[in-house]
Amino acid sequence: MTNSKRTAFFISDGTGITSEALGMSLLSRFENFEFNRITLPYVDSVEKATETVLQINEATEREGAKAIIFDTIVDDKIRSIISASNSFMIDVFSAFLGPLEKELGQQPSDRVGRVRITENRGYEYRIDAVNYALDNDDGARTRYYNEADVILIGVSRSGKTPTCLYLAMQYGIKAANYPLTDDDIEDQKLPASIRNYKQKLFGLTIEPDRLALIRNERRPNSRYASTKQCNYEVEEVELMYRRERIPFMNTTHYSVEEIATRIMVQANIQRRC
Amino acid sequence: MTNSKRTAFFISDGTGITSEALGMSLLSRFENFEFNRITLPYVDSVEKATETVLQINEATEREGAKAIIFDTIVDDKIRSIISASNSFMIDVFSAFLGPLEKELGQQPSDRVGRVRITENRGYEYRIDAVNYALDNDDGARTRYYNEADVILIGVSRSGKTPTCLYLAMQYGIKAANYPLTDDDIEDQKLPASIRNYKQKLFGLTIEPDRLALIRNERRPNSRYASTKQCNYEVEEVELMYRRERIPFMNTTHYSVEEIATRIMVQANIQRRC
């Protein structure tokens, strides 16, 4: 029996981030369905598991079609409670642990699969990198550019700050950013404070219409947000990138995750954690 | 054949974030193995797939044991090239698409499973929330607290800023943060600027030894970083949380992702995207 509406649950005894990411990717392939998405992290006790089953059964009944479950629950007992619900369950870990066990010739441990931060240098890299991004945001300081793994440049509102923060948070990469202003553009050359770090520069650009839309939310009907100004700035910085041979990408149609990972590939920046 | 060292590849024609998260979770369960981890995003052409196969075969040969592949490649042609490598391949999407197709009674589309940002309100929520977190970091401004979904409080270096940024980036949640200073602690009461938002407050705390370690990296041998001062501050803010009935959590042993998701559960904060 099929129905064009379903509830999808992403359930975990951890953060739920993995089951959600995987489940969303899979469900996005079924375009005619509308999924009501519910993420339930930290389902780590019999009580919570029992409550969850009630919630699942309710959804199945309401929609007249089985709720879809994606779970990354490590604890066998919790998982078996959930599996007794009236649902279609995709048991992410179980599907792959058996084959991996066979290939590696070792039984998997039943510990929650995560690295505690005290054992994990990655945590410090990430926090350091986030602090670096915050301190070196928007051209605020330029004297620590020697420490940067990458320096993003671009016009105001082209996506520099969120990208720097994502590179820091996810990969421990130290990313500074420097806004190209009207003055820089008129000068037709790289500003003095970034000229010496040319090999670290990466340019962002964006479709002028989208830029105007974003700027209008910030400062409605300003010269800054006008189509004319946005067209001018974008055209000039793209010319500058080409003239100076600075690698660049157009951020218009990409998420922050995609912008960050594409920059890493294109500029060959290595993750720190 | 088994070996205690293997290379693990996380391969995708997208960002690689999903295959990496899933693969790392699974591999962390095999504690006696040491995995050399390589993430390859945007393997989206025959050329890149062919290069990737060479890289995989090299790893298998070097270690005398099959490289482990986790892939979330949508394109059949690319995936079949990779599957011809000398490796143990866990094909994440394929494993689940068949069962899902059967349950939903619909063929999955072969489009890359992602929502373009122009169709996705989530993108704007996230960017707005990141800007909100930046503007309202560290007590910099308090007059926009009425817009906050949550206001994190805690002593300096207890993890407030990265947590706010993660809540914004991942879930579109507007999170401000306010540092509890020596003065606030001596007053034995909530600072005036946050008193009116008591229902939005969430406290962070941290083990004093860990706090001293973190602060020592920032300002070595200062009073600020001393064990005595850290003990005093942590003890007092925990008393304050309890007295004022402010929900709180100890961040010492958790990653930023875990702190963020636990706060959402404990304070019942709904995601915005």
Side-chain angles (χ1 to χ4, degrees), chain A residues 87-155:
Chain A
S87 64
F88 178 77
M89 186 158 164
I90 289 201
D91 201 346
V92 176
F93 284 163
S94 304
F96 300 131
L97 277 176
L100 270 173
E101 179 180 343
K102 213 170 147 191
E103 170 63 23
L104 297 173
Q106 189 190 97
Q107 273 215 310
S109 92
D110 56 5
R111 291 197 331 160
V112 173
R114 81 187 147 85
V115 182
R116 296 229 158 224
I117 62 160
T118 39
E119 309 156 7
N120 182 6
R121 273 294 298 157
Y123 183 80
E124 273 137 60
Y125 275 113
R126 292 168 74 186
I127 300 298
D128 279 357
V130 167
N131 288 328
Y132 184 87
L134 291 173
D135 291 344
N136 296 278
D137 184 40
D138 210 28
R141 293 197 302 189
T142 58
R143 69 181 185 281
Y144 297 106
Y145 281 1
N146 57 321
E147 291 177 32
D149 294 313
V150 64
I151 302 164
L152 299 188
I153 58 176
V155 303

Side-chain angles (χ1 to χ4, degrees), chain A:
Chain A
M1 183 187 155
T2 64
N3 191 315
S4 62
K5 230 178 163 177
R6 296 273 185 128
T7 301
F9 288 89
F10 310 110
I11 305 176
S12 173
D13 41 14
T15 64
I17 292 168
T18 302
S19 62
E20 182 181 300
L22 175 61
M24 302 261 276
S25 293
L26 285 162
L27 294 181
S28 73
R29 306 280 290 278
F30 295 90
E31 292 169 327
N32 297 337
F33 276 81
E34 199 189 316
F35 295 101
N36 176 26
R37 298 156 179 178
I38 297 173
T39 303
L40 300 176
Y42 305 111
V43 177
D44 52 10
S45 68
V46 170
E47 292 69 35
K48 288 187 201 163
T50 312
E51 263 175 55
T52 301
V53 169
L54 292 177
Q55 204 179 339
I56 295 169
N57 290 348
E58 231 172 69
T60 294
E61 196 161 327
R62 193 174 49 242
E63 272 151 20
K66 281 183 180 172
I68 313 286
I69 316 290
F70 295 89
D71 89 279
T72 53
I73 298 168
V74 174
D75 188 283
D76 286 334
K77 194 170 171 188
I78 305 288
R79 205 173 50 241
S80 81
I81 295 173
I82 305 287
S83 71
S85 66
N86 185 11
S87 64
F88 178 77
M89 186 158 164
I90 289 201
D91 201 346
V92 176
F93 284 163
S94 304
F96 300 131
L97 277 176
L100 270 173
E101 179 180 343
K102 213 170 147 191
E103 170 63 23
L104 297 173
Q106 189 190 97
Q107 273 215 310
S109 92
D110 56 5
R111 291 197 331 160
V112 173
R114 81 187 147 85
V115 182
R116 296 229 158 224
I117 62 160
T118 39
E119 309 156 7
N120 182 6
R121 273 294 298 157
Y123 183 80
E124 273 137 60
Y125 275 113
R126 292 168 74 186
I127 300 298
D128 279 357
V130 167
N131 288 328
Y132 184 87
L134 291 173
D135 291 344
N136 296 278
D137 184 40
D138 210 28
R141 293 197 302 189
T142 58
R143 69 181 185 281
Y144 297 106
Y145 281 1
N146 57 321
E147 291 177 32
D149 294 313
V150 64
I151 302 164
L152 299 188
I153 58 176
V155 303
S156 166
R157 301 278 119 191
S158 54
K160 300 182 299 296
T161 299
T163 306
C164 285
L165 289 169
Y166 192 83
L167 285 166
M169 191 88 77
Q170 184 79 6
Y171 300 110
I173 290 170
K174 287 189 177 172
N177 76 79
Y178 187 94
L180 296 171
T181 63
D182 259 13
D183 289 347
D184 299 326
I185 290 166
E186 274 161 29
D187 284 355
Q188 298 264 345
K189 59 183 182 186
L190 282 178
S193 40
I194 56 176
R195 212 175 297 150
N196 292 335
Y197 299 98
K198 209 169 146 181
Q199 70 294 347
K200 295 188 182 193
L201 300 181
F202 194 99
L204 298 186
T205 187
I206 181 169
E207 284 169 15
D209 290 351
R210 168 114 189 126
L211 183 62
L213 212 70
I214 296 170
R215 287 184 172 184
N216 254 306
E217 275 175 34
R218 202 82 168 178
R219 286 194 229 154
N221 306 315
S222 60
R223 173 175 168 278
Y224 167 80
S226 68
T227 310
K228 191 180 160 200
Q229 178 67 13
C230 291
N231 273 321
Y232 166 72
E233 290 185 26
V234 169
E235 196 170 326
E236 290 297 322
V237 297
E238 290 187 8
L239 277 173
M240 186 190 282
Y241 297 156
R242 292 204 171 87
R243 193 176 57 237
E244 304 279 350
R245 298 176 194 279
I246 293 165
F248 70 100
M249 77 168 280
N250 187 318
T251 62
T252 313
H253 296 293
Y254 295 108
S255 68
V256 177
E257 288 88 336
E258 287 171 314
I259 299 166
T261 48
R262 283 175 186 273
I263 289 170
M264 289 167 68
V265 171
Q266 208 176 319
N268 195 21
I269 301 165
Q270 299 305 312
R271 65 200 295 164
R272 302 270 172 189
C273 63

